[in-house]
Amino acid sequence: MIAFYAFTEFICGSMMFSYWLGLLAEKDLHMYGDGNPGAFNLWHAAGYKLGILGVALDFLKGYFPLSVLVSKGYISDVEIAPVAVAAILGHVFSPFLKWRGGKGIAVTFGVWSAVTRFNVSIAYAVILAILYAIAIILNKGKSTSSEVDGFMVVIGMLTLVLYLYYKSFPMYIYDIWFANLMIITYTNREKLYKLYKDVYEKHHENNAVMR
């Protein structure tokens, strides 16, 4: 039954609501921003109203089915991990978009909300807010680049393990966390590489000037 539940969660996660909302607004999200078919790119392409709806739907597809399975006792403890991760994988590798989905941020919040009753998702949101505030200060009030945003998403997830340790969560929660970290690192790999390349080139130029 765990395989069935995981498959069901994968299909739920693969429902690309934000991309479809974009098509209804005559906006192909692949042609906007970084081409991501997720909720935040929908916000950029079609405005905040559809963007908020996209965020809500992507969150709910991670939250609602999983919360039912957990609350009704269909899955528990270590059984939760593969089912929870399947929802995120479904969004990232959606068969409805030829296995090329979104970054998985909104659905990640939905999954953590379902598994920990919003505990970890709130902690992750606070961590991201702190990182964003620091980035804005360092950038002298200017908005951050998409590369920096991707970096903060990954670093925020990495930092989240400290909260898990502090709250003494069971080991299967760490399994979900590690899989989630690997997934969002993968989905942000191009942004991370570009940020690394930009920082390296800038450092190299500064050294050349000093010489």
Side-chain angles (χ1 to χ4, degrees), residues 38-116:
F40 296 103
N41 206 31
L42 174 64
W43 191 310
H44 169 75
Y48 73 93
K49 292 181 180 179
L50 278 182
I52 291 174
L53 180 58
V55 170
L57 290 173
D58 282 355
F59 172 87
L60 287 173
K61 73 181 182 182
Y63 173 75
F64 184 71
L66 186 57
S67 65
V68 170
L69 291 175
V70 173
S71 63
K72 297 296 184 180
Y74 294 116
I75 54 175
S76 60
D77 297 329
V78 296
E79 298 171 339
I80 296 175
V83 180
V85 173
I88 304 173
L89 286 173
H91 181 81
V92 174
F93 301 104
S94 175
F96 297 104
L97 290 179
K98 299 180 179 180
W99 310 103
R100 296 178 63 185
K103 295 289 191 293
I105 305 303
V107 70
T108 285
F109 275 99
V111 165
W112 282 111
S113 296
V115 173
T116 66

Side-chain angles (χ1 to χ4, degrees), residues 6-22:
F7 176 76
T8 301
E9 279 292 324
F10 181 87
I11 295 300
C12 289
S14 68
M15 305 293 285
M16 302 306 293
F17 295 116
S18 294
Y19 180 75
W20 296 333
L21 285 172

Side-chain angles (χ1 to χ4, degrees), residues 94-210:
S94 175
F96 297 104
L97 290 179
K98 299 180 179 180
W99 310 103
R100 296 178 63 185
K103 295 289 191 293
I105 305 303
V107 70
T108 285
F109 275 99
V111 165
W112 282 111
S113 296
V115 173
T116 66
R117 297 182 179 180
F118 294 91
N119 194 324
V120 172
S121 56
I122 291 175
Y124 186 39
V126 170
I127 291 171
L128 290 180
I130 293 172
L131 290 174
Y132 183 74
I134 292 173
I136 290 294
I137 292 172
L138 293 176
N139 208 31
K140 299 180 180 179
K142 299 178 182 178
S143 60
T144 57
S145 66
S146 63
E147 289 77 22
V148 172
D149 291 343
F151 176 74
M152 288 190 292
V153 165
V154 175
I155 291 298
M157 181 59 68
L158 183 62
T159 306
L160 187 62
V161 74
L162 300 177
Y163 178 78
L164 301 182
Y165 178 78
Y166 174 73
K167 288 293 186 177
S168 301
F169 278 96
M171 281 305 300
Y172 75 87
I173 293 294
Y174 288 88
D175 294 337
I176 300 173
W177 166 81
F178 182 75
N180 203 168
L181 175 63
M182 293 298 101
I183 292 169
I184 64 173
T185 299
Y186 172 81
T187 60
N188 287 281
R189 65 194 184 282
E190 293 179 0
K191 293 183 178 181
L192 295 174
Y193 175 73
K194 188 176 186 305
L195 181 63
Y196 166 78
K197 185 178 179 181
D198 290 345
V199 171
Y200 176 81
E201 290 178 352
K202 186 176 181 180
H203 178 71
H204 184 72
E205 289 174 0
N206 290 337
N207 286 341
V209 171
M210 292 177 65

